[in-house]
Structures are given as structure tokens and as C-alpha cells.
Amino acid sequence: GQGVGGAGNDLTVTGNLNLDGAVTNVADLLVTGTSDLGANVDTSGSQTYTGAVALSGGDRTLTGSTVSLDGGVTGGGNALSVAGNAEIGGDVTGVSTLSVSGNTMLAADVTTSGAQSYGDAAGDSVTIAGPVSLSTTDSAVSFTGAVDGDSDVTSADTLTISAGTGTVSFGGAVGSTDPLQSLTVTAGLTEINGGSVSTTGNQTYNSNVSLGADANLTASLVNLGQGVGGAGNDLTVTGNLNLDGAVTN
């Protein structure tokens, strides 16, 4: 009920975990069962949660080199911050906001009432490992760095983002190393600031699109449902174009 001071040692929980006090100064943490996190967890190394994670009692921060959420997260209306890299292998639901400061591997869906942010710096990347859906309630989804598919995954690397009236922002290139199969964005605004978006299949933007730099959209078909504001930048579509809104500036 009062947490753990690890003195730099590893901690393995073989079974389920009910945590009511902070975990500090642990090297690596492994939980083989489910975890009820009623406090923050700070490790110098990795955190691996094999079973489902529930957030209780307030917003939670997980600080570690890599935080692996293999069984997903039920947020209980609380916010989740990962200070480090994140590997999300199970669905995230019931979270108010989600932020990851480092690299992120997404192999499951993420649903938040508020914003989602991935990466603090331009070098922080997101890997899409399979069909992934990111959903918010009229709130932003932002990618600071590059977004790519996962060449090691045999299933389709598709990314669907539903942000209501929120803004979806791509700060880095999308698909420049490993193209996604498809990209679909439904939002109030899509900001393409990273120069290029590459998919092997379709790209669909059910929003206004703004360009923060010269942009090259490479796809079998690019659907621009509400037009483009270029801000004086070049736009190249490598593939077929379906344009339903005005292109200006």
C-alpha cells in the first residue's frame, strides 16, 4: 500500500499487481498479470506490463527507457503520460489524454477524450504495426517526428485517425522509410508539415489540409475532401487525385 524503493534493483511480479504507492529507483519492472496502477512508476530501465493495465485514483506517469503495454490500458477517465519510449500492444480506452515523450510503436487502437501526442522532439518516431485507429473527442492528434509502417509485420499497416473538430498534425515525413498501406484522417484540420506522405494504397483527408512545407503526397489515390491551403508551398500528388474542395495559396 505504500510503494517500492528499488535501490537500483529489478522487480518482477509473477501474478497480478495492485499498486497504491509510487515505485521509484527500480531498474527493470515486469508484471506477468494485470496491473492496477494507483500511483506513478519510475524505472531507470524498462517497464513491461503483460496483462491489462487499469489507471486508478488520478492521472499517471510511467517513466522508463521503454514502457510496454502488451495488454492494453483502461484509463478510468485519467490521463496517461509515458516519459520514454512506448510500445502499445493492446487497446487503450477510457483515457483522458495520452502523451509519449519518445518513440512509439502502435499495434493497437487508442481512444481518448482529449488530445494524443507522440514524441517531444523531431527525432521521435512512430511505427504503425498493423491496422491502427486513433480516436479523440474533438481534440488534437500530433506526431512530432516521422511515422512509418513496420516491415516486420505481415498484416496491413493502416492508420485511421478520427479527431472530430480537432487538428491532426504531422510534424515529420509519413511513410518515407516504410510506407503505410493507407491513411485516413477525419478532423477539423490536417497539418502536413513534414514534407511527404507515402502510402501504397489510398490517402483520404476528410478535413481541410494545410501545408507547412513543400509536400509530396504519394498514393494510388489521394482524396482531398475539403481542399488545401498551401501557405505558398508546392504540392505534388504522385498518383491519382480526387479533389472536392478548393486549393488556395
Side-chain angles (χ1 to χ4, degrees):
Q2 297 184 35
V4 177
N9 297 296
D10 294 341
L11 174 60
T12 299
V13 176
T14 304
N16 299 324
L17 170 66
N18 183 17
L19 180 69
D20 293 325
V23 173
T24 60
N25 200 25
V26 167
D28 294 331
L29 171 67
L30 168 63
V31 182
T32 66
T34 62
S35 299
D36 186 331
L37 300 182
N40 297 332
V41 180
D42 190 338
T43 60
S44 59
S46 64
Q47 298 176 31
T48 302
Y49 301 93
T50 304
V53 171
L55 308 181
S56 61
D59 301 338
R60 293 289 160 250
T61 299
L62 307 180
T63 302
S65 56
T66 299
V67 176
S68 299
L69 300 164
D70 298 339
V73 177
T74 302
N78 299 299
L80 174 60
S81 299
V82 176
N85 302 322
E87 297 180 349
I88 298 177
D91 291 347
V92 175
T93 61
V95 171
S96 59
T97 62
L98 172 67
S99 65
V100 180
S101 70
N103 301 323
T104 306
M105 189 279 291
L106 289 171
D109 298 339
V110 178
T111 301
T112 58
S113 57
Q116 300 176 28
S117 63
Y118 300 93
D120 283 352
D124 296 327
S125 63
V126 172
T127 300
I128 304 299
V132 170
S133 177
L134 307 179
S135 302
T136 73
T137 303
D138 298 326
S139 297
V141 177
S142 59
F143 304 92
T144 303
V147 178
D148 280 294
D150 187 346
S151 59
D152 295 330
V153 174
T154 57
S155 59
D157 299 332
T158 63
L159 177 58
T160 301
I161 304 173
S162 301
T165 60
T167 297
V168 174
S169 178
F170 295 101
V174 177
S176 63
T177 301
D178 289 298
L180 303 178
Q181 178 171 312
S182 66
L183 172 66
T184 302
V185 179
T186 301
L189 176 68
T190 301
E191 297 177 339
I192 298 177
N193 300 322
S196 66
V197 180
S198 299
T199 58
T200 57
N202 293 351
Q203 295 175 32
T204 300
Y205 301 94
N206 298 311
S207 70
N208 292 307
V209 173
S210 69
L211 306 182
D214 294 343
N216 189 337
L217 308 182
T218 301
S220 57
L221 175 65
V222 175
N223 295 292
L224 295 170
Q226 297 182 35
V228 178
N233 297 294
D234 295 339
L235 174 61
T236 301
V237 176
T238 304
N240 299 319
L241 171 65
N242 182 18
L243 179 67
D244 292 323
V247 176
T248 59
N249 198 22

